[in-house]
Amino acid sequence: LGECADPAETGPVRVVGSDLAAGGEAALCPVCGEHVGEQPVRCLRCATPHHGECWDYVGACSVFGCRSTEKRG
């Protein structure tokens, strides 16, 4: 299939947040699937935007593999 980069050589993955998804459309909340709007809550670990109410309902980031309980916004 191809060669994968060695994480020891490339370092950790860095996620750069945005309120826009690829293609320019508004980002969707990973809990409810609706647009997050102008003031999302962001995960401190992966920067994924959520609605504040959705974050509070789940109690953590809802991105598979992240599950951080720290937020900003």
Side-chain angles (χ1 to χ4, degrees):
L1 290 174
E3 293 184 27
C4 295
D6 181 354
E9 295 175 11
T10 60
V13 174
R14 184 170 161 252
V15 177
V16 178
S18 172
D19 290 342
L20 297 178
E25 66 272 12
L28 301 177
C29 176
V31 177
C32 69
E34 298 293 325
H35 295 287
V36 292
E38 294 181 19
Q39 295 190 358
V41 169
R42 289 192 176 275
C43 173
L44 282 178
R45 183 174 179 198
C46 72
T48 299
H50 295 69
H51 292 114
E53 293 174 353
C54 292
W55 181 284
D56 293 341
Y57 176 77
V58 175
C61 180
S62 63
V63 172
F64 180 77
C66 182
R67 302 299 296 165
S68 174
T69 57
E70 298 182 57
K71 64 181 178 181
R72 67 178 162 93

